[in-house]
Amino acid sequence: MNTGTEVPRRTRIQQEKRELILEAALEVFSTHGFRGSTIDQIAEAAGMSKPNLLYYFRRKEDIHETLMLRLLDTWLAPLRELDDIGDPLTELRSYIRRKLEMARDFPRESRLFANEILQGAPRIMPLLAGDLKTLVDEKATVIKGWMRAGKIARTDPWHLIFSIWATTQHYADFDVQVRAVLGPNRGGDGRFEDAARFLEQLFLDGLKPKG
Amino acid sequence: MNTGTEVPRRTRIQQEKRELILEAALEVFSTHGFRGSTIDQIAEAAGMSKPNLLYYFRRKEDIHETLMLRLLDTWLAPLRELDDIGDPLTELRSYIRRKLEMARDFPRESRLFANEILQGAPRIMPLLAGDLKTLVDEKATVIKGWMRAGKIARTDPWHLIFSIWATTQHYADFDVQVRAVLGPNRGGDGRFEDAARFLEQLFLDGLKPKG
DNA sequence: CTAACGTTTGTCCAATCGGTCAAAAATTTG
DNA sequence: CAAATTTTTGACCGATTGGACAAACGTTAG
């Protein structure tokens, strides 16, 4: 009798080892890109031999694909939570904050995604033009409603979302540059709080002086 | 008698072929990353055999290094032009516009740079912590002056620069995603004008409704 | 012409790559 | 316990990689 789970039946060891491999692969892929990473590197990072790794994932690409699919789901969670119920400005502010927290807490996921997009998204293009576009269009409609209601300034909802993605993910993807420019003092752990303060002000008030 | 140029003396053919190779390498490196690109690919894109390419650049890394150094110079030109003479808001607005134009006209350069930073900037780290930091610190001082004079709102100058970099380069580095989300209609050539309009509004007024 | 020099290429090499395979080792099952 | 199954590994393979090299080709100067 089938337990209800679909196609691949897995033992406890398989579950654990697969997680171990995915964790190691995330580390390697996110810093060297897909082609820049080798199975040996991932195997060593996971503490096992290459053939052993290939026992759990038969091809290098399978690891990457599993990683990408799992990532996309959690990566878009903050946007999915953007809801029509609360105060628009508060909703947007907390969306920005949550995205920035993800850049701080999951920089490897951000870099893995950035690597894929940079190279033309050869493996997830259908998802971008499909699920992602649908989700963004849906949220753009919500934002448009806020604009019509006079709750936020009239502007382009799609580019607004892009700008939130760009500014927050920048602190994960370009982290080395951010830290190099800020220097040892301001580039420490406090940089994310500084960024949060700045982004809040930018998105709410812009740069025009008060009055 | 020496003509005045430094160490490597070069013939006309060498000049031309080297440019040809660099152009081809920019195309290849920017879409596949350093490790993801092969000398054969670059040679083919440049219309010559691999040994012939290696006659002009002895190592793959030499091509990449030449490309990076040349890039950084032109890449930071807009920021260097940010000057204390004009009206602050106008200066910032034209800086944003110029950076966005560079993302539109030189997306490969942007992606090449992004690739390098994403992987930890192993080849240009000293430049980031050196020349780049110096330049940004200098401009941050200028911006601080504007704030003290009440010309623009008080905020963090470094993160302001980061946000301009992030939002503008996003349209080069994440171009596939931008076009996929905007769809065939709005993702056409007009997307950069839409982005320019949006960014101007964002950086000047933010999202708060007027009044 | 020929010698000298710059350019181009076919061939080759060692290293690394993703992936296979059979056999050993460990674990689970009865 | 022993049999069956799952897990692990050493050895190996063909393909691709960055790069070396000498020979061929082209051009120019005397």
Side-chain angles (χ1 to χ4, degrees), chain A residues 3-203:
Chain A
T3 57
T5 52
E6 276 308 322
V7 187
R9 202 182 343 167
R10 280 174 194 140
T11 68
R12 178 184 48 84
I13 288 187
Q14 277 178 353
Q15 283 287 359
E16 289 172 4
K17 294 289 169 121
R18 282 175 65 94
E19 286 306 317
L20 200 70
I21 291 168
L22 289 173
E23 157 66 26
L26 174 61
E27 182 71 29
V28 176
F29 278 144
S30 67
T31 56
H32 301 291
F34 180 77
R35 283 214 48 183
S37 307
T38 71
I39 302 184
D40 282 293
Q41 277 179 318
I42 300 172
E44 194 193 336
M48 63 181 69
S49 65
K50 180 170 66 170
N52 196 10
L53 182 149
L54 287 166
Y55 169 72
Y56 293 104
F57 290 91
R58 282 154 75 175
R59 297 182 309 148
K60 179 187 177 185
E61 213 171 335
D62 290 348
I63 312 176
H64 191 261
E65 188 188 326
T66 305
L67 225 40
M68 289 296 301
L69 290 181
R70 186 179 296 196
L71 158 66
L72 261 178
D73 220 42
T74 64
W75 204 242
L76 293 173
L79 183 57
R80 285 209 181 83
E81 289 174 26
L82 190 76
D83 225 325
D84 208 354
I85 47 174
D87 171 59
L89 280 181
T90 309
E91 280 289 312
L92 282 174
R93 193 167 46 206
S94 74
Y95 174 52
I96 294 169
R97 187 169 13 95
R98 204 152 355 183
K99 278 292 279 179
L100 191 60
E101 283 167 4
M102 292 198 62
R104 180 194 62 195
D105 298 335
F106 307 104
R108 300 178 304 177
E109 281 83 350
S110 184
R111 280 193 280 262
L112 179 69
F113 186 73
N115 255 309
E116 175 72 9
I117 301 291
L118 254 186
Q119 305 188 356
R123 291 166 241 274
I124 59 166
M125 192 38 153
L127 280 172
L128 297 187
D131 290 3
L132 179 63
K133 174 170 168 44
T134 304
L135 176 64
V136 174
D137 285 349
E138 185 188 317
K139 298 305 179 181
T141 306
V142 172
I143 294 173
K144 266 185 179 168
W146 293 342
M147 291 175 186
R148 263 194 299 273
K151 299 289 189 178
I152 66 172
R154 284 183 186 275
T155 185
D156 188 308
W158 287 273
H159 289 278
L160 170 58
I161 291 175
F162 291 155
S163 69
I164 294 175
W165 289 350
T167 49
T168 54
Q169 290 173 8
H170 186 82
Y171 290 97
D173 303 342
F174 287 72
D175 182 54
V176 229
Q177 180 178 252
V178 166
R179 279 189 285 111
V181 167
L182 288 181
N185 297 332
R186 304 195 62 252
D189 292 343
R191 68 190 188 276
F192 281 96
E193 281 139 45
D194 293 343
R197 256 191 303 276
F198 167 79
L199 289 179
E200 175 155 340
Q201 180 179 348
L202 171 66
F203 279 94

Side-chain angles (χ1 to χ4, degrees), chain B residues 43-61:
Chain B
E44 193 193 335
M48 63 181 69
S49 65
K50 180 170 68 171
N52 195 11
L53 183 148
L54 286 167
Y55 170 72
Y56 293 104
F57 290 90
R58 282 155 75 177
R59 297 180 310 147
K60 178 186 177 184
E61 211 171 335

Side-chain angles (χ1 to χ4, degrees), chain B residues 77-93:
Chain B
L79 184 56
R80 285 208 180 83
E81 289 173 25
L82 190 77
D83 225 326
D84 209 354
I85 47 174
D87 171 58
L89 280 180
T90 309
E91 279 289 312
L92 282 173
R93 194 167 47 207

